[in-house]
């Protein structure tokens, strides 16, 4: 069972200082004279639940929800609304606070959070944006007399299908984002393919270079081998010729020995 337990307003619109309004399970009506702030209570509930339309809040600027002062009181620096709900005997306090010229701050049980998290929390409790309807002062007459579109909106809210319009918008927005990212990825893929082609050409060139270098090495090795073989054959030939010359030289020397002896004898006789 879920019900509104209390509403606490601090410097919100016409409420000066801190005002806490308790609600009972049987509480159904708020009454009072014109200008006593009844509509501001509805505005406070709308505001703390994340209402973003200034027209709905009967304001022109964000900081107009802050007490603006009068001849007795100075303007406040901030406004805050706390909404206490009871969910199966467990209390949750949702709060929203705003300073002049600053964005709103949201909290759940004094823990800072985002508006999106507030909306998700309420949706999980069955209190999403389209689970309740606000009818402001004078709206019933306008609905009956002129605003057919507003009647359709309220009927959709009551039927619980209005949220699907927002869901469709969210889905379409997500699809646009996905399509944009897809196009970006496609451009990157095309660029990558171009880069791959360039790299393939470079690889082919590198492979061709390696192949030619290996062939050149084989040719150089062959040239060195044939040069070495030619040199070896020449060296063997020269060694054989050397041996032949040495044999002939030895033979000549052996033939010269008698002549040397004869020369020595003739020299003796000459002397």
């Amino acid at each position: 069972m879920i019900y509104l337990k209390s509403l606490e307003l601090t410097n919100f619109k016409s409420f000066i200082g801190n005002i806490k309004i308790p609600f009972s399970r049987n509480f159904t009506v708020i009454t009072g004279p014109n200008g006593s702030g009844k509509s501001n209570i509805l505005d406070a509930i709308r505001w703390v639940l994340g209402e973003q339309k200034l027209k709905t809040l009967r304001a022109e600027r964000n900081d107009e929800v802050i007490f603006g002062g009068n001849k007795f009181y100075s303007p406040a620096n901030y406004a805050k609304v706390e909404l206490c709900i009871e969910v199966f005997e467990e209390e949750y306090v949702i709060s929203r606070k705003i300073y002049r010229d600053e964005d709103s701050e949201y909290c759940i049980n004094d823990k800072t959070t985002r508006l999106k998290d507030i909306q998700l929390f309420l949706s999980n409790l069955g209190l999403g944006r389209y689970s309740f309807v606000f009818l402001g002062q004078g709206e019933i007459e306008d609905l009956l007399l002129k605003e057919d579109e507003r009647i359709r909106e309220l009927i959709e809210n009551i039927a619980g299908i209005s949220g699907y319009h927002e869901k469709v918008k969210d889905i379409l927005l997500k699809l646009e984002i996905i399509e944009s990212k897809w196009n970006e990825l496609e451009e990157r893929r095309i660029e990558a393919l171009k880069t791959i082609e360039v790299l393939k050409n470079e690889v082919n060139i590198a492979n061709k270079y390696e192949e030619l270098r290996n062939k050149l090495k084989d040719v150089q090795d062959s040239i060195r081998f044939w040069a070495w073989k030619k040199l070896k054959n020449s060296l063997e030939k020269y060694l054989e010729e050397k041996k032949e010359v040495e044999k002939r030289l030895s033979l000549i020397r052996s033939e010269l020995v008698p002549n040397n002896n004869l020369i020595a004898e003739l020299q003796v006789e000459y002397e």
Side-chain angles (χ1 to χ4, degrees):
M1 185 64 181
I2 303 172
Y3 82 96
L4 177 61
K5 191 170 184 180
S6 66
L7 182 70
E8 189 170 349
L9 304 93
T10 305
N11 302 325
F12 185 83
K13 285 198 168 183
S14 61
F15 292 90
I16 305 168
N18 181 265
I19 304 293
K20 186 172 184 178
I21 305 173
F23 296 92
S24 69
R25 293 178 182 270
N26 298 321
F27 188 89
T28 54
V29 178
I30 297 177
T31 63
N34 291 339
S36 61
K38 301 186 300 296
S39 298
N40 289 342
I41 294 176
L42 274 180
D43 291 342
I45 296 175
R46 282 174 164 149
W47 188 72
V48 73
L49 293 179
E51 180 61 61
Q52 301 296 307
K53 296 180 181 178
L54 294 176
K55 183 179 178 181
T56 303
L57 298 171
R58 299 176 299 131
E60 295 182 0
R61 302 191 314 272
N62 288 328
D63 59 1
E64 285 189 5
V65 300
I66 304 175
F67 175 70
N70 54 33
K71 62 181 179 180
F72 301 107
Y73 298 95
S74 301
N77 293 324
Y78 73 95
K80 182 179 180 181
V81 175
E82 293 185 355
L83 184 73
C84 180
I85 59 176
E86 185 175 303
V87 183
F88 300 108
E89 300 183 355
E90 187 172 356
E91 291 186 2
Y92 295 93
V93 178
I94 302 171
S95 64
R96 182 177 180 181
K97 188 175 184 180
I98 186 173
Y99 289 90
R100 295 190 183 277
D101 301 324
E102 293 186 16
D103 293 331
S104 300
E105 298 176 358
Y106 294 90
C107 291
I108 298 179
N109 291 344
D110 294 327
K111 184 178 180 180
T112 303
T113 185
R114 302 173 301 173
L115 172 59
K116 187 174 181 180
D117 298 323
I118 297 283
Q119 294 170 341
L120 181 61
F121 171 74
L122 293 173
S123 297
N124 291 335
L125 296 178
L127 297 175
R129 179 179 174 185
Y130 298 98
S131 300
F132 47 81
V133 176
F134 289 98
L135 288 176
Q137 184 176 353
E139 280 194 273
I140 295 178
E141 182 180 354
D142 289 340
L143 286 173
L144 294 176
L145 297 180
K146 21 184 187 179
E147 295 194 14
D148 294 336
E149 184 67 21
R150 177 62 171 154
I151 293 175
R152 182 187 65 80
E153 180 183 345
L154 286 176
I155 292 174
E156 289 181 352
N157 287 339
I158 295 170
I161 63 174
S162 297
Y164 291 105
H165 297 305
E166 293 297 325
K167 289 181 180 179
V168 169
K169 290 181 182 178
D170 290 340
I171 291 172
L172 291 176
L173 179 61
K174 290 179 180 178
L175 286 175
E176 289 181 3
I177 294 173
I178 291 172
E179 185 178 0
S180 175
K181 290 184 177 179
W182 174 265
N183 292 334
E184 182 181 349
L185 290 173
E186 183 65 17
E187 291 178 359
R188 291 185 179 179
R189 186 183 71 85
I190 294 173
E191 291 297 325
L193 289 176
K194 292 180 180 178
T195 304
I196 289 173
E197 289 298 322
V198 173
L199 292 175
K200 282 183 178 179
N201 292 333
E202 292 181 356
V203 168
N204 291 333
I205 293 173
N207 291 336
K208 190 67 176 178
Y209 169 78
E210 188 67 21
E211 181 183 352
L212 292 175
R213 190 177 69 171
N214 292 334
K215 287 183 178 180
L216 177 61
K217 184 175 180 299
D218 293 339
V219 171
Q220 290 174 340
D221 291 342
S222 298
I223 292 173
R224 281 193 290 267
F225 173 75
W226 288 109
W228 171 81
K229 190 173 182 180
K230 183 179 180 181
L231 180 61
K232 181 174 176 292
N233 293 335
S234 299
L235 183 60
E236 290 176 351
K237 180 181 178 182
Y238 294 149
L239 289 174
E240 290 176 358
E241 291 179 354
K242 179 186 176 186
K243 289 179 180 179
E244 186 66 25
V245 170
E246 286 178 347
K247 284 173 66 177
R248 291 174 59 191
L249 183 61
S250 177
L251 181 60
I252 292 172
R253 284 176 179 172
S254 64
E255 292 177 351
L256 287 176
V257 170
N259 293 330
N260 289 334
N261 293 334
L262 180 59
I263 290 172
E265 293 176 356
L266 291 175
Q267 183 67 32
V268 172
E269 289 180 3
Y270 171 76
E271 290 177 357

